[in-house]
Amino acid sequence: MLIIGNGTVLTLGQNNRVLQNGAVLIQDTKIQEVGSTADLLKKFPKAQYIDASGKLIMPGMINSHMHLYSTFARGMDSKSKPPKRFKDILESLWWKLDKLLTLEDVYYSALIPLIDCVKTGTTTIIDHHASPKAVTGSLQIMAKAAEEVGLRAAFCYEVSDRDGEKIAWEGIKENAEFIAACHANPNSRLAGLFGLHASLTLSDKTLERCREAVGSLNTGYHIHVAEGIEDLEDSLAKSGLRVVERLNKFGILGPKTIAAHCVHVNDEEIEILKSTQTQVVHNPESNMGNAVGTAPVLKLLERGVQVGLGTDGYTCDMFESGKAANILQKHAHADPSVGWGEVPQMLYNHNPRIAERLFSGKFGELAPGAWADVIIVDYIPFTPMNETNWSGHLLFGVSGRAVETTVIDGKVRMINRELLGIDEDRIYARSRELAQKLWARL
Ligand SMILES: [Zn+2]
């Protein structure tokens, strides 16, 4: 039993409460009680106690679209002119990097951002992976990294035709085997999705094969949708259909499917996303960085589509993603009044609902029965904080680096900024060696 107390508890969830001098009682992997610190300490005097001393106690964050494999791009010199179009960014950076990854690179590329997630208060990620020369076993080795760091993670391998039929086929097998293994050994911290790169790198034949491979596996797809205008142009040229229409024709959409980006979608496509209950994930920093346009997230939300928030590998810090989403919508609409409700909705309501479609149990809330994914944030409110203004406190007052304690699945993974059970120096040293070797192979 563990009590985290003496802080400002922000429960979030449907019955969101802000409790001064509040505490959370954790039993095994779940939250058992939320109440006043004095009451819980009196009731459970033998419980282990973590003193949050006035700071914020809240649910861990969720990243609904991530690329752990992008780690070794940090500081990489491509020695060529900066790419001008989105497709050039894929070709000159990501499709060069991912082809060089070995299984050991994949493992360390995963460990580093997973550690960063713990440090910045992200307790669940939904990843999208590519390593065309090391496909088989890549998802299992990432699952091993997630297990070691303690994060909840959903993995998939991005099938694509860009490296030929053999590698596409390996990707299909890797997804199917990983999903089957997840089903055979249910684990509340691990899930599998069927990964697809994007419509522009997938032929009709490969899409058919993917659908056949999914067969009776109870799973959804994780795919980039209409991220750059090239995806739309390609889909129209290939099929006469827009991207969402084409994917719908192949049965790719549905309640468990994640459609990342959806920048270039029209009203009819939004209706399809809604009627199929497909989940959209917005990645504001990535969209701005790649200059692909602004996703119509306000319209998607207004029409009733579930829209979560991700980072697309840009960062591990979901507080940062929330800040970017907020200013992007205001800037794009030239209207400072928009986004106030929608961004917290994506981050603190839709992201947990997305996680709940992939994993078992209750996410994103400090309430009895929910997963014990809890963070302590070094933020002592200097103006009143309550049930109506909490999101303004988080938006303007909190960043991932303010997180000092992270508990996942009831296990303390970081306390007072000290990681437990992780030899960070050794991991970083090996990562630098591997990155150096990979850069030399470029
Ligand atoms: Zn992505």
Side-chain angles (χ1 to χ4, degrees), residues 65-67 128 158 222 224 227 260-261 283 286 311-313:
H65 181 68
M66 178 61 177
H67 295 285
H128 195 273
E158 62 157 65
H222 188 178
H224 298 111
E227 178 177 3
H261 302 297
N283 303 273
S286 163
T311 66
D312 207 18

Side-chain angles (χ1 to χ4, degrees), residues 102-321:
T102 64
L103 278 183
E104 191 185 9
D105 294 331
V106 170
Y107 173 65
Y108 279 87
S109 291
L111 278 177
I112 303 284
L114 287 165
I115 289 171
D116 211 31
C117 286
V118 172
K119 287 183 172 177
T120 53
T122 294
T123 52
T124 301
I125 61 161
I126 301 171
D127 190 72
H128 195 273
H129 176 67
S131 53
K133 297 291 160 70
V135 178
T136 304
S138 58
L139 299 183
Q140 282 297 353
I141 211 157
M142 294 167 84
K144 178 177 180 284
E147 174 67 29
E148 284 166 12
V149 178
L151 237 78
R152 287 183 207 280
F155 293 111
C156 72
Y157 188 88
E158 62 157 65
V159 176
S160 125
D161 289 319
R162 68 175 151 102
D163 302 303
E165 201 170 0
K166 187 175 160 277
I167 290 175
W169 194 238
E170 274 181 56
I172 292 172
K173 253 186 76 199
E174 181 66 7
N175 279 311
E177 284 175 9
F178 184 76
I179 294 162
C182 287
H183 289 172
N185 300 293
N187 171 347
S188 58
R189 291 196 308 280
L190 193 61
L193 278 166
F194 200 100
L196 300 171
H197 171 248
S199 173
L200 85 160
T201 62
L202 289 159
S203 64
D204 290 1
K205 189 174 144 196
T206 304
L207 281 172
E208 285 287 3
R209 280 182 164 181
C210 291
R211 202 175 48 175
E212 274 165 33
V214 164
S216 59
L217 292 169
N218 176 25
T219 190
Y221 299 86
H222 188 178
I223 177 168
H224 298 111
V225 175
E227 178 177 3
I229 193 76
E230 295 91 333
D231 202 17
L232 173 60
E233 291 166 350
D234 174 90
S235 181
L236 287 171
K238 245 185 326 216
S239 62
L241 299 170
R242 295 177 65 94
V243 179
V244 171
E245 294 168 335
R246 178 168 185 248
L247 296 176
N248 194 34
K249 184 184 140 197
F250 283 92
I252 302 301
L253 306 177
K256 288 198 172 190
T257 288
I258 292 180
H261 302 297
C262 292
V263 175
H264 304 279
V265 293
N266 67 12
D267 288 356
E268 286 73 34
E269 288 173 289
I270 292 175
E271 270 315 305
I272 297 172
L273 291 166
K274 187 186 173 207
S275 64
T276 53
Q277 297 177 55
T278 302
Q279 318 175 86
V280 171
V281 176
H282 175 46
N283 303 273
E285 290 164 300
S286 163
N287 291 168
M288 285 191 274
N290 291 334
V292 291
T294 309
V297 292
L298 302 182
K299 196 188 253 187
L300 283 156
L301 287 163
E302 190 194 289
R303 301 281 163 85
V305 178
Q306 184 152 276
V307 186
L309 210 54
T311 66
D312 207 18
Y314 231 79
T315 170
C316 294
D317 182 347
M318 288 310 297
F319 293 102
E320 189 182 302
S321 186

Side-chain angles (χ1 to χ4, degrees), residues 72 105 430-440:
F72 291 169
D105 294 331
R430 183 61 184 150
S431 168
R432 281 189 293 269
E433 281 172 17
L434 291 168
Q436 186 70 56
K437 282 187 193 167
L438 183 140
W439 290 358

Side-chain angles (χ1 to χ4, degrees), residues 264-428:
H264 304 279
V265 293
N266 67 12
D267 288 356
E268 286 73 34
E269 288 173 289
I270 292 175
E271 270 315 305
I272 297 172
L273 291 166
K274 187 186 173 207
S275 64
T276 53
Q277 297 177 55
T278 302
Q279 318 175 86
V280 171
V281 176
H282 175 46
N283 303 273
E285 290 164 300
S286 163
N287 291 168
M288 285 191 274
N290 291 334
V292 291
T294 309
V297 292
L298 302 182
K299 196 188 253 187
L300 283 156
L301 287 163
E302 190 194 289
R303 301 281 163 85
V305 178
Q306 184 152 276
V307 186
L309 210 54
T311 66
D312 207 18
Y314 231 79
T315 170
C316 294
D317 182 347
M318 288 310 297
F319 293 102
E320 189 182 302
S321 186
K323 290 179 209 300
N326 174 56
I327 49 178
L328 172 57
Q329 290 308 316
K330 289 172 170 61
H331 180 71
H333 291 265
D335 182 352
S337 74
V338 302
W340 293 113
E342 290 87 348
V343 173
Q345 189 185 9
M346 290 192 275
L347 206 41
Y348 303 109
N349 179 359
H350 288 196
N351 267 359
R353 301 298 81 78
I354 290 172
E356 284 164 6
R357 287 194 193 171
L358 311 185
F359 300 86
S360 59
K362 185 138 195 64
F363 283 76
E365 186 172 353
L366 303 182
W371 291 121
D373 297 350
V374 186
I375 57 177
I376 301 177
V377 184
D378 181 10
Y379 177 71
I380 300 174
F382 52 77
T383 54
M385 179 173 170
N386 55 46
E387 285 80 1
T388 57
N389 70 4
W390 59 273
S391 65
H393 280 269
L394 296 184
L395 180 65
F396 294 109
V398 174
S399 74
R401 290 293 163 200
V403 173
E404 38 171 66
T405 295
T406 301
V407 175
I408 310 173
D409 213 26
K411 264 212 174 104
V412 182
R413 297 295 178 171
M414 178 174 78
I415 186 159
N416 297 325
R417 294 201 163 90
E418 191 194 330
L419 291 164
L420 302 182
I422 294 282
D423 186 348
E424 209 182 343
D425 291 344
R426 185 194 64 76
I427 292 167
Y428 274 59

